[in-house]
Amino acid sequence: MSDLFVSRDHVLQGGYFHSTLRKLQEPDTSIEPHNIMYPIFLLENDDAVQPVSSMPNVYRYGINQLIPALTELVEKGLKSILIFGIIDTLPKDATGSNADSASNPVIRALPRLRAAFPSLLLTTDVCLCPYTSHGHCGVLTPSGAIDHAASVARIAEVALAYAKAGAHVVAPSDMMDNRIKAIKDALIANKLENQVSLLSYSCKFASSLYGPFRDTMKSSPMEGDRKCYQLPPGSAGLAARAAARDVAEGADFLMVKPGLPYLDVVRRTKDQFPNHPLFIYQVSGEYAMIAKCGDSGEVAATLMETLVCMRRAGADCIITYFAPLVLSIINKK
Ligand code: PB1
């Protein structure tokens, strides 16, 4: 055999031929229950449960159906949920009045969820789009533009209502400028700043991957789109500026959304703010793609690879509709 000169550090396979060695080569990529958060669609009808046609194995629950479903998952180790309210008999109007009304399903469910699951972290999405007649995430001017001041004030009102009803974390997905400061000021004014966390959807892009979600939430804009308040997909600069602004305004946690197509932004945001836990939202379109990638074994393998890559990119927690499957995989291990 030729005496091919091989530099000692050019032989890599000696460092990962064994599964334990491979684990040592993959630091900070473990997937444990606290690394995932489960999005929940909460219906107005307490006894209803409805499948989401575009998202296999995803359901919309009334609170009376949600509690037994969550009981099984909490027993498997579920640590946190993200709640989205859906109304169908309550009226929708220009300011999303039913986002924080006493009849709102989220407002009604929070005390029951606190009582049923004392250790489960309850996060509420804060946005107007499921409750506005126009379907936008903010309040509009008569000309149809975003009314910045009115939107920020309204979003802060809704966030405070969820905080008072029992949310541990409020997560504004509206993308209105300065809503983080307004929410933090409202929590401080109501002596809740040390009992309720602020998870900002800081780097949320105007993505085509929200389709299945909008179908199930019936939350698409009646006119126009969300490109004037969700970030342009090609703008890493705006994402960096949005994250810096939200940190300055008091966000406890940051987020990049969607996930897989934006892992470069995840890495940059983690490097920019290493001391703020960073979330990824694996959105409905990402869920649908993986759910249809093959048989159950291929779905599981593709999912776990995707989650490991998200953790490698810098995500500390991944919001994923696959949470029940991840918990089953973790428990099998
Ligand atoms: O899974 C998903 O697609 C999430 C969609 C996301 C929820 N936070 C928003 C996307 C959108 O419809 O613009 C909802 C906006 N408040």
Side-chain angles (χ1 to χ4, degrees):
M1 180 168 169
S2 67
D3 56 347
L4 170 70
F5 172 70
V6 177
S7 160
R8 294 294 170 265
D9 64 1
H10 290 185
V11 177
L12 302 183
Q13 291 175 6
Y16 62 88
F17 67 90
H18 188 286
S19 62
T20 301
L21 295 177
R22 287 192 287 273
K23 277 294 166 200
L24 291 170
Q25 301 283 6
E26 298 177 297
D28 305 327
T29 60
S30 58
I31 306 295
E32 297 172 37
H34 69 276
N35 298 121
I36 57 171
M37 176 180 275
Y38 185 31
I40 298 284
F41 297 123
L42 186 64
L43 292 168
E44 205 185 313
N45 176 344
D46 291 352
D47 296 313
V49 55
Q50 300 167 356
V52 176
S53 57
S54 53
M55 302 171 75
N57 302 316
V58 172
Y59 296 83
R60 311 190 315 179
Y61 294 98
I63 184 62
N64 293 339
Q65 300 284 345
L66 177 61
I67 287 176
L70 281 181
T71 299
E72 185 184 335
L73 293 173
V74 169
E75 285 168 359
K76 285 185 175 178
L78 182 68
K79 294 292 182 252
S80 65
I81 62 173
L82 172 60
I83 307 167
F84 293 91
I86 302 173
I87 60 175
D88 40 28
T89 63
L90 290 171
K92 298 187 177 184
D93 61 21
T95 58
S97 304
N98 275 303
D100 54 353
S101 66
S103 305
N104 176 279
V106 179
I107 296 280
R108 294 189 292 109
L110 280 165
R112 292 186 59 186
L113 291 169
R114 285 288 288 251
F117 308 107
S119 62
L120 185 63
L121 186 74
L122 305 180
T123 305
T124 55
D125 180 78
V126 177
C127 198
L128 301 185
C129 61
Y131 308 103
T132 50
S133 46
H134 46 70
H136 280 284
C137 301
V139 177
L140 303 183
T141 64
S143 67
I146 287 290
D147 183 329
H148 176 247
S151 298
V152 168
R154 185 74 189 105
I155 286 290
E157 283 174 356
V158 175
L160 181 59
Y162 293 166
K164 287 180 174 177
H168 296 110
V169 184
V170 291
S173 64
D174 58 296
M175 287 304 282
M176 299 301 140
D177 288 328
N178 313 122
R179 87 273 203 214
I180 298 303
K181 180 185 184 304
I183 294 170
K184 200 72 169 189
D185 288 349
L187 292 175
I188 292 168
N190 288 271
K191 300 189 182 311
L192 290 170
E193 73 275 21
N194 60 349
Q195 300 165 62
V196 180
S197 289
L198 228 180
L199 164 57
S200 175
Y201 283 70
S202 45
C203 310
K204 173 176 177 179
F205 294 88
S207 173
S208 304
L209 290 164
Y210 303 144
F213 176 95
R214 292 181 180 177
D215 291 347
T216 194
M217 289 284 290
K218 300 183 178 59
S219 61
S220 294
M222 301 304 278
E223 285 183 31
D225 54 38
R226 296 183 174 144
K227 292 180 180 177
C228 65
Y229 48 90
Q230 294 175 351
L231 302 180
S235 181
L238 280 170
R241 291 169 61 190
R245 176 202 58 201
D246 290 357
V247 164
E249 293 187 2
D252 297 293
F253 306 95
L254 303 175
M255 188 194 306
V256 176
K257 173 186 178 185
L260 207 54
Y262 297 84
L263 292 189
D264 59 319
V265 176
V266 172
R267 175 41 58 198
R268 284 179 62 155
T269 306
K270 193 62 185 174
D271 291 346
Q272 186 184 7
F273 296 105
N275 301 320
H276 278 70
L278 180 61
F279 285 63
I280 279 179
Y281 197 135
Q282 183 182 52
V283 298
S284 55
E286 295 178 82
Y287 177 89
M289 287 192 293
I290 294 174
K292 296 189 173 83
C293 79
D295 63 27
S296 59
E298 287 160 328
V299 167
T302 305
L303 167 63
M304 294 311 284
E305 178 185 347
T306 303
L307 298 183
V308 164
C309 291
M310 289 178 167
R311 292 275 284 128
R312 185 202 64 232
D316 299 293
C317 188
I318 299 144
I319 299 166
T320 176
Y321 302 100
F322 282 114
L325 176 55
V326 178
L327 291 170
S328 296
I329 293 168
I330 293 173
N331 284 315
K332 277 187 190 135
K333 284 178 181 173

